[in-house]
């Protein structure tokens, strides 16, 4: 009995260690760099210390997640033959607490819509914009109106900037920047008549697309124009930001999706997604999955690691959004559907449905961060419904704190300016940042150059004066032996490098010969013989 108990404890310890390893992978900063290629020993030691520090911090974060974050992701479970998508919002609001029940509301403003909306990064503040000029800032935690004002011109889009104190709007002629007290801070006249805008928090850039198809990037911290790209695909109303690599994706009228960064005048990726104009676009929080919808009445889910579609659903969709936990919200007219990957095998199925008042035309759906709520902007105002399991239950106060104070917000703003990344850091594969660039073939030293370098080092060693030693240890034979030993020590790294290259060449040759198909004996005499 004692032996069995020991075995059970050992297996449970192994399971806990494996669980911690899986959780630690989530916090690692990509794969560790290959330090063996570095010739500089001092730099290699410094980078090794950094890699060890990153590993320890990832393990600490995994332990904190396992033991100090008790909140779990909620979900909606059906009993028996009941389906989750048949459960109504009234039934959910009746079963949850008073705080959660307040999140189900419908604000009716029929004369100023249709409305679009955006949430701050911590999910505590919401900005709403009516197409007829109505702007409002709402404290969504307490359902208090902070500020509302009328700009008296058409508003197409709204987006928060680096914190909830400032937001940008795409108005009739130009985009404007306001603070949460309704004061106009700046007018971005260089952008023109903007249809959509996004904010890149890591680089402090505001990206806009205007009605002439020009994509512009402007640095909010310095006020300089970083890039101006002509897409050549005409105007578009479909624009979304990949949260993983900060690449901007645009959906065009010819059914194509193009992906852009601030440094390249040409699109990084151009892919045909639909046989008709695109109507909506969204990215999964992990950055590897993209959802697109078009006028061909199809909803497609794409694997961006292979740029292939893995699931196609029949649906006419005008707005899409992914939640922090991977739920996908779709909207068309007054009908809202939420999809979920139940098995983890990238097979999405219907999870919840919600039908608003007949006649409402949905313009935008957006999940609220760190909460199980979905915001809906429509032609008659805006609404909010409960979606169990959509929000991240445990927030990191260093990333986004819904309850942050004024002092914490100021400190975070200063820290974000210090940590601001350059526009060159926007790339399809962000894991390349911090890795070592492999030397190009033409940059590698040739054999003649290495031999010349070795000869130069040998001449220096041979001509170097040796230290005079005591009587009997300074004989010519011992001096010659000492010089011969120094010469062999100098030659060794060069010879080892040559041997290593010869071994690699021989391996490649053997591999190439093994991969070549074997010809029949009757044709082998026609094979061209290469000189050994």
């Amino acid at each position: 009995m004692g032996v069995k108990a020991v075995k059970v404890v050992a297996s449970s310890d192994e399971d806990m260690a494996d669980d911690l390893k899986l959780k630690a992978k989530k916090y690692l900063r990509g794969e560790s760099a290959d330090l063996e290629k570095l010739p500089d020993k001092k730099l290699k030691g410094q980078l090794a210390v950094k890699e060890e520090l990153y590993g320890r911090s990832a393990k600490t974060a995994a332990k904190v997640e396992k033991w100090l974050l008790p909140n779990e992701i909620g979900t909606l479970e059906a009993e028996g033959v009941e389906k989750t998508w048949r459960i109504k919002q009234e039934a959910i609001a009746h079963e949850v607490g008073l705080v959660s029940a307040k999140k189900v509301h419908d604000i009716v403003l029929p004369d100023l819509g249709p409305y679009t909306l955006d949430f701050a990064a911590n999910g505590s503040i919401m900005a709403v914009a009516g197409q007829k000029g109505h702007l409002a800032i709402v404290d969504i935690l307490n359902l208090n109106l902070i500020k509302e004002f009328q700009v008296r011109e058409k508003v197409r889009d709204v987006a928060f900037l680096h914190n909830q104190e400032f937001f940008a709007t795409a108005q009739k002629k130009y985009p404007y920047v306001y603070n949460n007290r309704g004061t106009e801070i700046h007018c971005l006249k260089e952008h023109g008549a903007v249809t959509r805008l996004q904010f890149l928090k890591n680089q402090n850039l505001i990206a806009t697309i205007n009605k002439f198809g020009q994509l512009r990037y402007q640095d909010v911290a310095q006020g300089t124009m970083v890039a101006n790209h002509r897409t050549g695909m005409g105007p578009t109303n479909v624009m979304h930001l990949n949260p993983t690599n900060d690449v901007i994706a645009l959906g065009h009228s010819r059914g194509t999706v193009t992906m852009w960064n601030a440094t390249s005048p040409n699109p990084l990726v151009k892919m045909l997604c639909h046989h008709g104009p695109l109507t909506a676009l969204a990215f999964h929080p992990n950055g590897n999955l993209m959802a697109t919808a078009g006028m061909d009445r199809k909803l497609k889910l794409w694997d961006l690691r292979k740029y292939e579609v893995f699931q196609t659903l029949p649906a006419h969709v005008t707005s899409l959004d992914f939640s922090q936990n991977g739920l996908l919200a779709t909207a068309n007219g007054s009908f809202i559907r939420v999809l979920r990957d139940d098995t983890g095998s990238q097979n999405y199925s219907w999870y919840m449905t919600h039908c608003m008042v007949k006649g409402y035309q949905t313009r935008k759906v957006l999940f609220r961060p760190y909460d199980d709520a979905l915001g809906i902007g429509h032609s008659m105002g805006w609404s909010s419904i409960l979606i169990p399991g959509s929000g991240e239950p445990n927030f990191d106060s260093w990333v986004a704190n819904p309850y942050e104070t004024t002092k914490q917000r100021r400190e975070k703003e200063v820290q974000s300016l210090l940590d601001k990344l350059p526009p060159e850091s926007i790339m399809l594969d962000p894991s390349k940042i911090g890795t070592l660039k492999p030397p190009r073939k033409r940059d590698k030293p040739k054999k003649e150059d290495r031999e010349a370098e070795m000869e130069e080092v040998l001449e220096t060693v041979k001509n170097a004066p040796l230290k005079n030693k005591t009587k009997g240890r300074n004989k010519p034979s011992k001096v010659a032996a000492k010089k011969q030993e120094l010469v062999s020590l100098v030659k060794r790294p060069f010879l080892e490098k040559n041997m290593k290259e010869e071994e690699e060449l021989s391996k490649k040759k053997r591999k190439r010969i093994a991969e070549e198909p074997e010809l029949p004996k009757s044709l082998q005499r026609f094979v061209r013989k290469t000189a050994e």
Side-chain angles (χ1 to χ4, degrees):
M1 294 298 290
V3 174
K4 289 184 180 179
V6 170
K7 286 185 177 180
V8 170
V9 171
S11 63
S12 63
D13 290 342
E14 291 177 359
D15 293 340
M16 289 173 64
D18 294 339
D19 189 22
L20 284 176
K21 285 182 181 179
L22 290 175
K23 290 182 181 297
K25 283 183 180 179
K26 185 170 66 173
Y27 296 99
L28 285 174
R29 303 185 180 188
E31 297 181 359
S32 59
D34 187 8
L35 303 179
E36 296 299 328
K37 299 179 181 179
L38 274 178
D40 191 344
K41 292 184 179 180
K42 183 179 179 181
L43 179 60
K44 186 188 294 187
Q46 291 174 349
L47 291 178
V49 172
K50 287 284 186 183
E51 291 292 341
E52 185 182 357
L53 179 63
Y54 293 155
R56 289 205 306 266
S57 63
K59 289 180 181 178
T60 304
K63 290 179 181 178
V64 169
E65 181 182 353
K66 183 174 180 61
W67 302 112
L68 300 181
L69 300 180
N71 294 332
E72 296 181 356
I73 300 173
T75 186
L76 191 63
E77 295 182 355
E79 296 180 355
V81 295
E82 189 179 12
K83 303 295 182 182
T84 57
W85 51 268
R86 291 184 180 275
I87 301 175
K88 304 295 183 182
Q89 286 293 315
E90 292 79 6
I92 298 174
H94 181 70
E95 297 296 331
V96 298
L98 293 176
V99 177
S100 298
K102 290 181 180 179
K103 298 171 187 175
V104 181
H105 57 265
D106 188 12
I107 307 300
V108 180
L109 297 170
D111 299 329
L112 303 173
Y115 276 84
T116 184
L117 51 89
D118 188 37
F119 291 104
N122 57 13
S124 61
I125 305 295
M126 180 180 68
V128 294
Q131 190 172 359
K132 296 180 182 178
H134 179 227
L135 297 176
I137 305 297
V138 182
D139 182 0
I140 204 67
L141 291 177
N142 304 314
L143 293 179
N144 292 331
L145 180 65
I146 298 176
K147 183 68 178 180
E148 67 171 337
F149 56 99
Q150 176 66 245
V151 296
R152 297 185 180 182
E153 64 177 4
K154 187 176 183 180
V155 179
R156 301 184 182 93
D157 200 6
V158 63
F160 275 103
L161 300 185
H162 53 281
N163 58 25
Q164 65 262 34
E165 293 288 317
F166 302 94
F167 64 96
T169 60
Q171 295 179 206
K172 183 178 181 181
K173 291 185 177 181
Y174 313 110
Y176 290 83
V177 177
Y178 298 94
N179 62 9
N180 60 359
R181 294 178 295 277
T183 306
E184 180 184 327
I185 303 298
H186 196 58
C187 175
L188 310 177
K189 291 187 177 181
E190 300 90 346
H191 294 253
V194 169
T195 57
R196 290 290 179 268
L197 51 86
Q198 293 284 335
F199 182 72
L200 288 66
K201 62 179 181 180
N202 294 323
Q203 292 81 13
N204 268 13
L205 298 177
I206 184 170
T208 63
I209 182 76
N210 61 18
K211 63 180 182 181
F212 301 108
Q214 291 178 324
L215 178 64
R216 297 175 187 263
Y217 290 84
Q218 187 164 359
D219 193 328
V220 175
Q222 301 176 358
T224 57
M225 186 68 68
V226 176
N228 180 14
H229 304 322
R230 294 181 179 272
T231 61
M233 306 291 287
T236 178
N237 289 323
V238 181
M239 181 181 187
H240 209 276
L241 174 69
N242 191 331
T244 303
N245 52 18
D246 294 324
V247 170
I248 292 289
L250 301 175
H252 303 282
S253 59
R254 298 178 183 177
T256 58
V257 171
T258 56
M259 299 183 187
W260 301 79
N261 67 355
T263 56
S264 176
N266 299 316
L268 304 176
V269 176
K270 185 177 181 181
M271 51 193 297
L272 179 64
C273 297
H274 293 270
H275 298 289
L278 264 80
T279 57
L281 174 69
F283 286 100
H284 194 277
N286 62 15
N288 296 327
L289 194 151
M290 178 180 70
T292 60
M295 293 294 288
D296 55 357
R297 294 179 178 271
K298 289 182 180 179
L299 172 62
K300 294 185 179 181
L301 298 172
W302 299 81
D303 187 351
L304 294 182
R305 292 167 292 188
K306 300 183 290 185
Y307 296 98
E308 293 180 357
V309 60
F310 64 86
Q311 189 175 3
T312 304
L313 299 171
H316 181 53
V317 177
T318 57
S319 181
L320 290 169
D321 189 48
F322 274 102
S323 74
Q324 291 176 318
N325 291 322
L327 302 185
L328 176 61
T330 68
N332 176 35
S334 59
F335 200 62
I336 311 296
R337 286 183 177 179
V338 180
L339 291 82
R340 182 177 64 174
D341 183 13
D342 295 322
T343 60
S345 59
Q346 292 186 340
N347 185 19
Y348 277 77
S349 58
W350 302 120
Y351 173 52
M352 290 185 67
T353 59
H354 175 65
C355 187
M356 296 186 294
V357 178
K358 187 176 181 181
Y360 284 17
Q361 297 297 316
T362 304
R363 184 176 179 184
K364 186 175 183 178
V365 290
L366 190 65
F367 281 102
R368 179 182 163 190
Y370 305 102
D371 205 347
D372 292 345
L374 176 67
I376 307 168
H378 48 79
S379 58
M380 302 296 285
W382 70 85
S383 304
S384 177
I385 60 175
L386 288 173
I387 307 294
S390 63
E392 176 63 37
N394 303 299
F395 63 87
D396 186 353
S397 60
W398 293 101
V399 177
N401 184 5
Y403 308 100
E404 67 181 359
T405 61
T406 304
K407 184 178 180 180
Q408 290 175 335
R409 185 169 63 248
R410 290 172 180 170
E411 292 290 337
K412 186 178 177 182
E413 184 174 0
V414 174
Q415 190 65 35
S416 65
L417 290 175
L418 294 174
D419 296 339
K420 187 170 78 75
L421 298 177
E424 292 78 15
S425 62
I426 305 173
M427 56 182 66
L428 287 175
D429 186 9
S431 62
K432 290 183 178 179
I433 300 176
T435 57
L436 301 174
K437 185 179 180 181
R440 293 179 297 181
K441 193 172 182 180
R442 62 184 181 184
D443 293 340
K444 291 182 180 179
K446 296 181 181 179
K447 189 175 182 180
E448 295 82 4
D449 298 336
R450 288 200 300 269
E451 289 179 354
E453 185 182 356
M454 185 177 67
E455 292 295 334
E456 186 179 350
V457 175
L458 287 175
E459 287 295 328
T460 306
V461 171
K462 289 178 181 178
N463 298 329
L466 294 176
K467 184 179 179 181
N468 291 327
K469 297 190 177 180
T470 58
K471 186 177 179 181
R473 300 178 62 187
N474 204 21
K475 294 180 180 179
S477 59
K478 290 193 175 183
V479 171
K482 185 65 177 177
K483 285 192 175 183
Q484 190 63 29
E485 184 182 354
L486 291 175
V487 167
S488 62
L489 287 174
V490 169
K491 277 186 175 181
R492 181 178 294 176
F494 294 98
L495 296 176
E496 288 179 352
K497 199 167 188 178
N498 290 337
M499 290 174 62
K500 191 175 181 181
E501 287 185 356
E502 289 175 0
E503 287 179 2
E504 290 179 355
L505 287 174
S506 62
K507 284 182 181 179
K508 287 182 181 179
K509 187 177 180 180
R510 288 196 298 268
K511 186 178 179 181
R512 187 174 67 251
I513 293 173
E515 290 177 352
E516 289 180 357
E518 186 177 356
L519 295 174
K521 291 184 179 180
S522 59
L523 297 177
Q524 286 181 1
R525 60 194 180 94
F526 297 105
V527 177
R528 182 178 296 176
K529 295 182 179 180
T530 57
E532 296 293 336

